Amino acid sequence: MATVIGIWIAAFLTLAIFSFLYGDNPVYKAVEHLYIGVSAAFWFLYLWSFTVYPNLVVGIRQHGWLGKDLLLIPTVLGLLMLFRLVPRYGWWSRYPMAFAIGLGAGLAITGVLQGLLFPQLQATILNPLTSVNNFLLVLGVLTSLLYFYFSREHTGVMGWIARIGIYFIMVAFGATFGYTVMARVSLLIGRVGFLLSDWLHLM
Amino acid sequence: MTARRIVYTLVFLAVAVPLLLGIRARVKPSPPVKAAYEAIEALPESSLVLIGIDFGPSTMPEMNPMYEALLEHLFRRNLRVAVLSLQSALDLPNGIQVLEKVARRFGKRYGVDYANLGYKPGLEAVIVSLGQEIRDIFPEDAQGHPLDSLPMFRGVHNYNDIALVIDLASGGTYGSWIQFAQARFGVKLLVGVTAVMGPETYPYLQSRQLVGMLAGLKGAAEYETLIQRPGLASRGMPAQAVVHLLIILFILYGNWGFWKQWRR
């Protein structure tokens, strides 16, 4: 019975959101507000249940504040972050922010160099004359990079190179657009499939 | 009826009619999907495969079919499967439901053939820690069983004991797996991504950082064709094709209108 009620609620909410396609209306507005309210409450509980409670509360109970994970430090940093809500002491939150940005930058720099820049660079160092694919790959990378080189005016030979680069970039945009359309249509197929199958049992 | 409403109605019909008629499509597998299939085929029996379930309900129609098809193949080949989530704990309930459904079909047992490690925040830190000792970061599974009590984790310590990592991602988690697991530890990595993310993932195939890739519903349908088990994706592809055709017609019609206007 609970499943049937759940399916009917989901079907009603789906149709209420789709009703925006006909025009803005009170049912759509109500469901939109419901979605935002439920999401906010859900995320609050979620962060408590899956991040703060298991990692901090349980950790302190098991190992104490100064145990193996030194939980005192993240607790203090976390509390300092909340001072953003108090204008007079808002600057205290800059310390945990600085910590988070420093940590993020450190991880990102090593990760991007080791896992993105060098392997991608290496993959571009190949003989462009052995196949059409190799030729297009090297040509596309070099001309696209030169398109973003703004220290010299894009005229003459440089202009031609930049123009070839923009064609490659346009092809990439086209592929991305095509894939995006496919993704959005897939989501619509999922919703229509739900309405026809789970709700109306027509499939 | 305004033109906009005509477009919406036609798109709805283009999706609904093929679904109602129950047409199924067999699509020709593309090289990235074939490579993914072959990577799994090449794994020795009972190897451990780690699957990152990093997609939520908003991308389920695209991601669930590929997840189900991959699980079908993994269990068919008698491989052990451990799932985890590094993006959000909310991604797991659906992932576990699908895992248990497919595991039941093959008579697989929890702890012996498959397990759920649960969610752990701290994406990059977790990925790096898995390269040292899995028990440091997951001392127990999601249900609270110590890892040592589960037979499938006997002798499993780090990436050296994991034959393949599959990340099913609707966000940037696959990038972290590439940067911190593949580049640092040489992990064999396969990804399933949403169609939107497909084009940005291709360069990693060319650089051989990925052993294979499935992108969107089409990738899932191609995989279903390879494992010869048409499912959700194969059922959705005819609708996908009809809508694409309709969009092409709309674009041509729109351009024809502009051209006519321009001539005047």
Side-chain angles (χ1 to χ4, degrees), chain A residues 131-196:
Chain A
S131 71
V132 178
N133 272 350
N134 284 6
F135 176 73
L136 286 175
L137 198 136
V138 174
L139 183 73
V141 170
L142 293 179
T143 53
S144 301
L145 279 174
L146 282 169
Y147 173 75
F148 291 102
Y149 182 75
F150 300 119
S151 300
R152 205 175 148 185
E153 203 179 339
H154 288 186
T155 52
V157 178
M158 187 67 183
W160 278 102
I161 293 172
R163 178 161 287 213
I164 295 169
I166 195 92
Y167 290 143
F168 275 101
I169 293 168
M170 285 299 168
V171 169
F173 285 159
T176 306
F177 176 71
Y179 266 101
T180 305
V181 169
M182 190 164 82
R184 300 302 174 239
V185 173
S186 302
L187 299 184
L188 180 65
I189 291 169
R191 272 302 75 191
V192 174
F194 162 76
L195 292 174
L196 297 177

Side-chain angles (χ1 to χ4, degrees), chain B residues 256-264:
Chain B
W256 179 67
F258 271 120
W259 181 72
K260 259 179 63 177
Q261 229 173 18
W262 173 74
R263 271 192 62 185
R264 254 187 252 142

Side-chain angles (χ1 to χ4, degrees), chain B residues 205-216:
Chain B
L205 282 168
Q206 198 265 333
S207 62
R208 297 180 201 279
Q209 289 174 279
L210 297 176
V211 295
M213 178 188 77
L214 282 74

Side-chain angles (χ1 to χ4, degrees), chain B residues 219-239:
Chain B
E222 289 173 12
Y223 209 86
E224 285 176 357
T225 302
L226 281 169
I227 61 167
Q228 295 176 332
R229 194 176 197 281
L232 295 166
S234 303
R235 205 164 57 181
M237 280 312 283

Side-chain angles (χ1 to χ4, degrees), chain A residues 22 42 46 115-116 120 179 186, chain B residues 5 88-90 195 204 209 240:
Chain A
Y22 187 78
F42 198 82
Y46 166 82
L116 181 64
Q120 288 301 320
Y179 266 101
S186 302
Chain B
R5 284 176 193 156
S88 160
L90 303 180
Y204 299 109
Q209 289 174 279
Q240 185 82 253

Side-chain angles (χ1 to χ4, degrees), chain B:
Chain B
M1 205 188 242
T2 61
R4 186 175 288 227
R5 284 176 193 156
I6 294 170
V7 170
Y8 293 148
T9 310
L10 288 175
V11 169
F12 175 79
L13 290 174
V15 170
V17 172
L19 286 178
L20 283 169
L21 293 177
I23 309 164
R24 281 174 195 263
R26 277 175 72 86
V27 288
K28 194 178 166 213
S30 57
V33 178
K34 262 192 208 162
Y37 176 83
E38 277 155 18
I40 291 178
E41 279 289 301
L43 296 178
E45 199 169 312
S46 81
S47 303
L48 179 66
V49 177
L50 189 67
I51 303 184
I53 301 172
D54 297 313
F55 64 95
S58 61
T59 51
M60 259 168 53
E62 272 192 287
M63 303 299 291
N64 261 4
M66 70 173 73
Y67 177 41
E68 206 169 323
L70 282 165
L71 282 176
E72 171 94 22
H73 192 196
L74 294 171
F75 284 140
R76 207 185 274 178
R77 294 232 45 245
N78 285 325
L79 298 163
R80 292 173 292 157
V81 175
V83 300
L84 79 171
S85 177
L86 301 182
Q87 178 180 260
S88 160
L90 303 180
D91 299 345
L92 275 173
N94 160 64
I96 300 309
Q97 213 173 6
V98 175
L99 174 66
E100 281 175 352
K101 185 177 88 178
V102 182
R104 251 197 315 274
R105 208 155 59 215
F106 284 88
K108 299 290 180 183
R109 286 175 300 158
Y110 187 87
V112 178
D113 305 300
Y114 71 97
N116 168 21
L117 292 172
Y119 163 71
K120 195 65 80 173
L123 182 60
E124 287 92 353
V126 177
I127 294 173
V128 173
S129 299
L130 285 172
Q132 283 134 23
E133 171 59 61
I134 192 169
R135 284 160 190 78
D136 287 348
I137 204 82
F138 291 104
E140 47 199 33
D141 70 354
Q143 296 165 16
H145 304 120
L147 232 52
D148 288 321
S149 70
L150 303 176
M152 66 177 282
F153 287 105
R154 256 178 232 145
V156 174
H157 295 284
N158 51 39
Y159 290 126
N160 293 333
D161 312 306
I162 297 171
L164 178 72
V165 174
I166 302 175
D167 190 33
L168 300 173
S170 64
T173 50
Y174 84 93
S176 300
W177 279 106
I178 291 173
Q179 290 176 16
F180 295 97
Q182 194 283 324
R184 203 169 283 195
F185 298 99
V187 169
K188 210 186 261 186
L189 183 64
L190 188 161
V191 298
V193 292
T194 62
V196 175
M197 293 156 64
E200 70 185 42
T201 316
Y202 269 92
Y204 299 109
L205 282 168
Q206 198 265 333
S207 62
R208 297 180 201 279
Q209 289 174 279
L210 297 176
V211 295
M213 178 188 77
L214 282 74
L217 199 69
K218 185 171 173 286
E222 289 173 12
Y223 209 86
E224 285 176 357
T225 302
L226 281 169
I227 61 167
Q228 295 176 332
R229 194 176 197 281
L232 295 166
S234 303
R235 205 164 57 181
M237 280 312 283
Q240 185 82 253
V242 175
V243 177
H244 279 218
L245 204 63
L246 190 66
I247 291 171
I248 291 169
L249 289 175
F250 286 152
I251 293 171
L252 290 176
Y253 180 69
N255 278 286
W256 179 67
F258 271 120
W259 181 72
K260 259 179 63 177
Q261 229 173 18
W262 173 74
R263 271 192 62 185
R264 254 187 252 142

